[in-house]
Amino acid sequence: MSIYNYEVETIKGEKKTLSEYKGQVLLIVNTASKCGFTPQYKELQKLYDELGGKGFTVLGFPCNQFMGQEPGDNDDIESFCEINYGVKFPMHSKVDVNGENAHPLFVDLASQAPGLLGSKAIKWNFTKFLVNSKGEVVERFSPNTSPSDIKPKIEQLLEEV
């Protein structure tokens, strides 16, 4: 199934499909507000600011599966992101990224771009999936990978559009 067929819920509770992002390069990230990697929100927003007008979008999906580091509700998360990091890129309702209740989008992303040693599990917050303009998963990046380090790959994909 194409990633464009997946239904997601925005942080404001609106149901949408990812089809509205057809033709764009996407960086899909599972996020958390109380994680050591949380400052990456700032870098993600910077990427969005710099490349958003060129056919690129960051999609954030809060997840509370890793040591309870995203305990708030959607309003808490949205407020935290805006106040602390000026997040303007699309944020979504909290999802599970692993296990029997994992959102189908993340099941698909993880199977298309397995992690270390072929693992399909997502190991931690701020795992990033780079998707080309055709909706194909190009690469998975670990939480340790700085969003700014991914910028050259994003720019390369944007040139191919």
Side-chain angles (χ1 to χ4, degrees):
M1 182 158 110
S2 164
I3 70 156
Y4 299 129
N5 294 327
Y6 289 110
E7 185 175 275
V8 296
E9 185 176 302
T10 70
I11 200 136
K12 295 198 182 291
E14 302 161 335
K15 302 262 188 219
K16 295 187 173 198
T17 64
L18 292 181
S19 63
E20 72 179 69
Y21 299 107
K22 273 186 181 177
Q24 294 188 39
V25 174
L26 303 174
L27 190 63
I28 301 174
V29 187
N30 66 304
T31 63
S33 300
K34 300 189 181 309
C35 175
F37 294 112
T38 301
Q40 287 187 17
Y41 271 128
K42 186 176 185 177
E43 287 183 68
L44 291 167
Q45 183 58 46
K46 185 175 181 195
L47 277 178
Y48 183 71
D49 289 343
E50 291 174 359
L51 302 174
K54 298 176 181 176
F56 169 73
T57 302
V58 175
L59 301 177
F61 289 85
C63 177
N64 195 41
Q65 287 188 291
F66 305 103
M67 293 184 63
Q69 295 184 340
E70 189 59 274
D73 63 19
N74 285 348
D75 290 338
D76 295 334
I77 296 165
E78 182 180 34
S79 178
F80 173 86
C81 290
E82 285 179 13
I83 291 168
N84 294 288
Y85 296 101
V87 169
K88 300 287 183 227
F89 58 82
M91 289 292 294
H92 298 83
S93 292
K94 253 198 291 197
V95 296
D96 282 356
V97 297
N98 291 319
E100 64 182 51
N101 295 318
H103 192 287
L105 170 64
F106 280 89
V107 172
D108 191 18
L109 293 171
S111 69
Q112 286 191 56
L116 243 85
L117 304 174
S119 169
K120 293 194 174 139
I122 294 172
K123 300 290 187 199
W124 202 253
N125 303 309
F126 289 89
T127 297
K128 302 157 204 75
F129 293 91
L130 184 59
V131 177
N132 67 19
S133 62
K134 297 176 188 134
E136 301 162 337
V137 182
V138 175
E139 193 169 346
R140 176 197 288 215
F141 297 93
S142 77
N144 293 330
T145 304
S146 166
S148 60
D149 291 342
I150 304 170
K151 185 177 179 184
K153 293 184 184 219
I154 296 168
E155 290 173 325
Q156 182 182 354
L157 290 175
L158 289 171
E159 287 175 11
E160 295 171 6
V161 174

